[in-house]
Amino acid sequence: MGRRAAVASMKPNLRLQALLALTCLGFLVALLTVQASTANLCTVSVPASGGYLVEGLVGRPEALNPLLADANPIDRAISSLLFNGLTAYDGRGRLVPDLASSWEVSEDGRTIAFTLRGARWHDGEPVTAADVAFTYGLLQDPEFPGPGGLKALWQAVEIEVLARDRVTFSLPAPYAPFLEATTRGLLPAHLLAGTGAATLPTLEFNRQPIGTGPFVVESDTWVRTGRLRLAPNPAYWRGGLNLAGLELRFFSTAADMLSAFRDGEIVALHQVGPAALPAAAALPDVRLFSWPAPRFTELRFNLTATGHPAMRDLAVRSALAAGVDRDALIDRALNGQGLPLSGPYLPRSWAYRPDLHSTRPHDPAGAAAALEAAGWVLAEGATARVQNGTELALRLVHGDQPIEAAAAAEIARQWAALGVGVTLQPVPIAELPARLAERAFDVAILEVAPLGDPDLYDFWSQEAIVRGQNYGGWNNRRASEALEQARQTWPLSERQAFYERFQRLYDQALPALTLYQDVNTYALAGAVQSLAGNGQAEVGLIVRPLDRYRTLPDWFLLYRDVLIACPDDTES
């Protein structure tokens, strides 16, 4: 029975064959018609949507979690693309609302009330005051694995949820720099409720988190592949993107990253350091974009008894400052990737007052004369000056990275011309804070990445000599009082006055010499095109990592062919 059915099913179906014949005939006629109608059409390539902007980074993320990002620059950079805080800094260094719509400070300066703006998490759930309380509550946990200072700050704060969109923070005393802490990204309570701070580093959430930021993590495969794909968050990019998203690819060394760029595997370089800049500039079809980095490099003088006695003499410190040629230092040690800077603030800070700081121009003749006047004499044929049998020979401590080592060598060369002996003492970066805290140095080269708030109490107050980063031991009561009063005052205009007083005292005492503001460089391949301007992708002013994508909606990578009417070349 089954065999007869199978044979029967193989009989010709004349109606189906006729239908197929008619269909083929119709297709042939249509094809001939199209060929005839397109005889005067031309093919052109136009921008098409799709493709990932593949960007290389040196380093590797450990946890995509804003509460765990402090120790790893890669974690900080990526977390800023995925998460938002209650507040954020604008291009002028001032705090503006982010997930919050506004905040108010009580008359006694101890309570700050935030109102949320109604944002949503990547999974569509609303951001509420419960998320705020949950996130900052983790920082209060005694087992929180992050910086001790961060934990101590939040443990002194009382958090209260007033409504779904309103939360207050009560402080034990007025403390204006507290708002800086509210820039840290929030975590979703609806996904992580019940999680303790001790288990934060082990969460699967850290591989594929849910945030509120401009980009969404597509999958957790980056842990295995070293390629992290980020899709655009439509709530942020309301006009959409031409690109499918970003792909961040992680490399062990700058050389490996540059090789991948040369081979076309990546089309962007997240950051090109000064040491790698010559090799990057030599790459074919590369475009480099540089901007001032949010950090600076300084010489810190040890004014305590553990340092060379000459360091406690302002005349000697001033002479050493005059003996530094900052332009030459930037050219020779940094391949030109630095900006001369004076004072303890970056230009983006609202407390920055360049008019309050001496520029201290390079004056080797004046420096030598000042050292002579201070009693440091250079005998004929000697290489180092001497005063009462003590040689002017300084221990210059610096990080063991190539740029820090090059800067230290250039400083030593310049000071040697003044008759100042210098012993270079490189220290692994991880061990540098301990070395400075021990004050086992005469002069140190420090890279400083200040917070957005201009509070420098933990760097230059008298208390910071014992509990803080006043490694040089500058002991100035009036400067310390100005910093303390500034952090207890909320109105910016009043705080500004205190910081002006501090900067005047700082300039007079010269406890440190700022050398330069560092420069960041971002690179794009010519394959990254733009719908705007001259067709090449442009990068505007960058203050935060996200800013390099300010014009991202105009960027594209792909083309598609379309038919258009051919130009009429006949002459009339």
Side-chain angles (χ1 to χ4, degrees), residues 277-431:
L277 187 65
L283 291 170
D285 200 26
V286 66
R287 304 179 68 219
L288 302 175
F289 303 88
S290 295
W291 70 96
R295 61 186 184 276
F296 62 85
T297 297
E298 70 176 17
L299 288 175
R300 182 76 63 93
F301 300 114
N302 185 355
L303 311 184
T304 71
T306 64
H308 194 287
M311 293 299 91
R312 296 188 286 279
D313 186 344
L314 176 59
V316 173
R317 298 198 300 275
S318 298
L320 292 176
V324 174
D325 184 344
R326 286 183 249 194
D327 290 333
L329 171 65
I330 292 169
D331 288 341
R332 293 171 180 166
L334 283 79
N335 290 312
Q337 298 304 288
L339 300 169
L341 181 67
S342 297
Y345 290 113
L346 291 170
R348 74 173 186 174
S349 172
W350 55 262
Y352 176 63
R353 282 289 303 276
D355 56 307
L356 299 181
H357 296 280
S358 305
T359 56
R360 306 186 189 279
H362 183 224
D363 181 11
L371 290 173
E372 290 281 346
W376 294 96
V377 179
L378 183 63
E380 186 175 352
T383 58
R385 296 176 179 275
V386 175
Q387 182 193 76
N388 299 327
T390 300
E391 212 175 40
L392 187 53
L394 306 177
R395 297 166 296 170
L396 178 55
V397 170
H398 61 89
D400 62 353
Q401 301 303 301
I403 294 302
E404 287 87 344
E410 178 60 22
I411 294 291
R413 187 192 68 80
Q414 294 181 10
W415 281 352
L418 301 177
V420 178
V422 176
T423 301
L424 299 179
Q425 297 186 348
V427 177
I429 292 295
E431 300 174 14

Side-chain angles (χ1 to χ4, degrees), residues 3-206:
R3 179 177 176 84
R4 287 197 297 271
V7 172
S9 67
M10 296 176 62
K11 292 181 179 180
N13 189 327
L14 297 181
R15 289 187 63 186
L16 177 60
Q17 289 182 354
L19 180 60
L20 288 175
L22 287 173
T23 300
C24 291
L25 178 61
F27 177 77
L28 180 60
V29 171
L31 181 61
L32 292 174
T33 302
V34 169
Q35 288 179 338
S37 64
T38 59
N40 293 321
L41 295 182
C42 295
T43 301
V44 296
S45 296
V46 299
S49 60
Y52 284 81
L53 182 81
V54 186
E55 182 175 307
L57 298 86
V58 177
R60 190 179 179 90
E62 297 176 3
L64 305 183
N65 187 321
L67 271 59
L68 304 175
D70 293 73
N72 186 353
I74 298 296
D75 287 348
R76 295 198 301 271
I78 298 176
S79 290
S80 70
L81 304 178
L82 307 176
F83 298 91
N84 299 85
L86 289 173
T87 61
Y89 283 101
D90 65 12
R92 299 181 301 162
R94 296 179 184 268
L95 277 171
V96 295
D98 197 351
L99 290 178
S101 61
S102 63
W103 68 86
E104 307 92 38
V105 180
S106 63
E107 289 187 10
D108 64 2
R110 294 181 56 249
T111 301
I112 306 94
F114 281 89
T115 301
L116 303 184
R117 64 174 168 86
R120 291 188 176 273
W121 296 99
H122 292 157
D123 62 3
E125 291 295 313
V127 177
T128 69
D131 298 311
V132 180
F134 170 73
T135 300
Y136 296 133
L138 287 171
L139 300 179
Q140 297 175 321
D141 192 319
E143 296 186 318
F144 174 63
L150 178 64
K151 180 165 53 180
L153 168 67
W154 280 102
Q155 286 178 341
V157 178
E158 181 181 336
I159 306 171
E160 183 178 3
V161 174
L162 300 182
R164 185 177 176 84
D165 65 344
R166 194 161 172 83
V167 62
T168 63
F169 302 103
S170 297
L171 313 178
Y175 182 62
F178 169 75
L179 287 179
E180 165 83 34
T182 64
T183 63
R184 189 175 294 267
L186 298 185
L187 296 179
H190 70 280
L191 295 177
L192 300 177
T195 299
T199 60
L200 274 178
T202 66
L203 296 179
E204 288 295 321
F205 177 89
N206 300 332

